[in-house]
């Protein structure tokens, strides 16, 4: 293999389209603080996601911190250790206590049965993750939330564009955070958003991302700064136009992987469930013991062959140095099992099917 294949490659619109989108900024000199592109992107996202309320942010992490704060939560939050650092960090940084539930062994999302066992009088919310874009068991989670009076805030960082039937992922729970980081299916270079049900939260979210400023002489709230700038918003406006084609190309890539890998002894791949429109965000593969080679063996073989893969998510968040003295990952055995065996393979819209074949040859060549 000549050129190294990276695990991901950011989607970009044609350069001329982006230049046309940002050219008016040289007239207006309005570069940030909720300008024309910001408004255009908010409107476009509401329409695409089929929702009434959305607020844009500098990144998904700030969006998650902000919605947790805006909801006025206190106490324990049940979440998953099988995620990116941001999910738990946001909970802790908002003064809340994370409690780790286990995950399911087929789609790696939080296990509703595990959630219910962890509820105490201090539990205030559930923060599940649609990990890899796999939709959580949203009905079971909502039933638990309703039974115990808990808020549900989805970390939907991976799930932009996912649907169940005609229903957008953004409509589940009380709120959903999306990441528009450069590596995501839909990107604004850096960026994020929160979609939410209660429209009363909109002014609060906007204050939080702009220092708590209400008016020129009126600061009511100890806010931060997390405003999406016009150049990032313009990238989102352009990328949104191309999203259906991007997802269709990813689908072709994912299907080629599944065709090649599914059925191989000890190889677990993860197809979308019935009625789900996937966004094909990631290509996780779990290597069970009967594969005969470990995840780390496959990772090393791919590296030698010039292919970047990621141990995503390893280690578990509960095993990070900043959490491991407080949490024991043995308490989430399924998450630990998956985390020790999972590898995400290269996945992006322009990945050539020949390259997918070559990657699969290396992977399958590791089997013993
Ligand atoms: C599951 C998950 N949550 C949160 C985030 C944070 O998003 P951002 O990088 O936009 O801050 C990410 C980013 O990769 C993520 O993967």
């Amino acid at each position: 293999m000549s050129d190294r294949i990276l695990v991901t490659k950011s989607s970009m619109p044609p350069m001329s389209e982006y230049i046309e989108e940002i050219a008016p900024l040289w007239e207006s000199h309005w570069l940030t603080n909720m300008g024309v592109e910001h408004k255009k992107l908010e409107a476009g996202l509401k329409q695409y996601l089929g929702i009434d309320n959305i607020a844009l942010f500098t990144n998904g992490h700030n969006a998650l911190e902000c919605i947790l704060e805006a909801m006025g939560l206190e106490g324990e939050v049940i979440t998953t250790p099988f995620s990116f650092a941001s999910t738990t960090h946001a909970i802790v940084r908002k003064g809340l206590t994370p409690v780790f539930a286990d995950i399911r062994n087929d789609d790696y999302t939080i296990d509703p049965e595990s959630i219910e066992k962890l509820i105490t009088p201090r539990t205030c919310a559930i923060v599940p993750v649609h990990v890899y874009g796999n939709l959580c068991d949203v009905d079971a989670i909502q039933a638990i939330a309703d039974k115990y009076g808990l808020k549900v805030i989805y970390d939907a960082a991976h799930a932009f564009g996912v649907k169940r039937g005609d229903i957008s992922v953004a409509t589940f729970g009380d709120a959903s955070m999306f990441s528009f980081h450069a590596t995501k299916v839909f990107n604004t270079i850096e960026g994020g958003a929160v979609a939410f049900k209660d429209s009363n939260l909109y002014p609060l979210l906007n204050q939080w991302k702009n220092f708590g400023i209400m008016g020129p002489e009126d600061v009511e709230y100890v806010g931060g700064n997390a405003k999406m700038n016009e150049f990032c918003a313009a990238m989102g406006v352009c990328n949104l136009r191309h999203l259906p084609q991007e997802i269709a190309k990813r689908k072709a890539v994912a299907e080629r992987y599944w065709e090649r890998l599914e059925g191989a002894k000890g190889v677990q791949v993860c197809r979308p469930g019935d009625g789900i429109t996937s966004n094909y965000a990631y290509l996780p593969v779990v290597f069970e013991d009967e594969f005969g080679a470990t995840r780390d063996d496959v990772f090393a073989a791919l590296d030698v062959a010039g292919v970047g893969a990621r141990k995503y998510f390893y280690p578990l968040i509960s095993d990070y140095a900043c959490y491991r003295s407080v949490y024991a990952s043995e308490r989430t055995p399924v998450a630990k099992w998956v985390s020790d065996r999972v590898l995400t393979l290269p996945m992006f819209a322009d990945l050539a099917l020949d390259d997918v074949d070559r990657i699969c040859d290396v992977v399958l060549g590791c089997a013993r």
Side-chain angles (χ1 to χ4, degrees):
M1 221 169 283
S2 49
D3 291 334
R4 192 167 174 84
I5 301 176
L6 301 179
V7 71
T8 186
K9 188 171 151 194
S10 298
S11 300
M12 297 171 85
M15 204 202 302
S16 55
E17 184 181 335
Y18 184 61
I19 289 172
E20 200 178 313
E21 194 65 44
I22 58 173
L25 301 176
W26 270 261
E27 298 287 318
S28 68
H29 289 251
W30 187 321
L31 306 186
T32 186
N33 287 58
M34 285 67 90
V36 171
E37 293 299 317
H38 189 284
K39 290 193 178 81
K40 211 165 155 182
L41 182 59
E42 261 190 9
L45 291 173
K46 278 191 207 173
Q47 195 184 11
Y48 180 82
L49 294 170
I51 48 156
D52 294 330
N53 301 304
I54 196 161
L56 304 182
F57 288 87
T58 39
N59 54 56
H61 180 83
N62 279 336
L64 185 55
E65 283 202 11
C66 183
I67 188 68
L68 292 172
E69 184 168 332
M71 285 192 170
L73 301 172
E74 278 176 31
E76 294 171 0
V77 174
I78 299 177
T79 188
T80 163
F82 189 71
S83 184
F84 184 60
S86 168
T87 317
T88 299
H89 283 359
I91 293 167
V92 173
R93 287 169 57 83
K94 288 293 116 185
L96 298 156
T97 306
V99 175
F100 293 115
D102 210 349
I103 61 170
R104 306 196 293 190
N105 64 7
D106 50 358
D107 64 7
Y108 322 127
T109 63
I110 196 164
D111 181 353
E113 278 182 26
S114 175
I115 294 176
E116 196 157 10
K117 287 184 197 141
L118 294 169
I119 291 172
T120 73
R122 282 182 40 76
T123 310
C124 59
I126 310 169
V127 176
V129 180
H130 299 302
V131 67
Y132 305 131
N134 293 342
L135 194 74
C136 293
D137 187 344
V138 289
D139 297 333
I141 291 168
Q142 195 57 54
I144 294 169
D146 291 344
K147 185 168 162 190
Y148 296 95
L150 308 174
K151 297 281 186 206
V152 182
I153 299 125
Y154 282 102
D155 178 336
H158 297 175
F160 190 81
V162 172
K163 282 186 185 172
R164 186 174 71 176
D166 287 337
I167 304 169
S168 153
V169 67
T171 59
F172 299 114
D174 295 284
S176 296
M177 173 278 276
F178 295 97
S179 166
F180 303 148
H181 181 257
T183 55
K184 298 296 189 280
V185 172
F186 167 73
N187 84 78
T188 61
I189 309 171
E190 285 272 4
V194 61
F196 49 98
K197 291 243 166 74
D198 178 2
S199 51
N200 293 320
L201 292 175
Y202 191 65
L204 207 54
L205 294 169
N206 282 336
Q207 280 172 55
W208 191 94
K209 73 179 180 195
N210 192 20
F211 309 103
I213 294 173
M214 293 289 284
E217 298 178 14
D218 189 7
V219 180
E220 281 190 358
Y221 187 74
V222 187
N225 180 7
K227 306 181 298 291
M228 182 183 282
N229 70 59
E230 289 291 277
F231 290 84
C232 288
M235 186 62 123
V237 167
C238 295
N239 278 336
L240 198 54
R241 293 185 193 120
H242 300 278
L243 192 63
Q245 297 93 299
E246 286 289 309
I247 293 181
K249 283 162 126 190
R250 284 174 170 270
K251 181 173 192 234
V253 172
E255 282 179 351
R256 183 65 150 251
Y257 269 120
W258 293 332
E259 209 178 280
R260 292 288 319 272
L261 298 177
E262 205 168 34
K265 203 168 89 180
V267 173
Q268 190 186 104
V269 296
C270 191
R271 281 186 184 263
D274 287 344
I276 300 294
T277 304
S278 177
N279 63 356
Y280 309 94
Y282 295 89
L283 207 295
V285 180
V286 167
F287 296 97
E288 296 167 359
D289 298 345
E290 61 172 354
F291 182 65
T294 65
R295 177 271 310 276
D296 289 0
D297 294 337
V298 180
F299 179 81
L302 286 168
D303 187 46
V304 168
V307 178
R310 276 192 75 186
K311 298 177 193 177
Y312 203 54
F313 295 97
Y314 173 85
L316 289 179
I317 295 176
S318 44
D319 278 335
Y320 290 176
C322 51
Y323 296 124
R324 76 167 81 102
S325 63
V326 188
Y327 298 99
S329 56
E330 289 69 30
R331 298 176 77 170
T332 54
V334 179
K336 185 145 185 68
W337 187 89
V338 174
S339 172
D340 285 341
R341 287 165 182 78
V342 73
L343 199 59
T344 55
L345 300 178
M347 168 47 92
F348 47 90
D350 290 333
L351 184 59
L353 298 185
D354 285 354
D355 283 337
V356 174
D357 284 339
R358 282 189 280 166
I359 294 164
C360 292
D361 289 342
V362 176
V363 169
L364 296 172
C366 295
R368 281 193 290 267

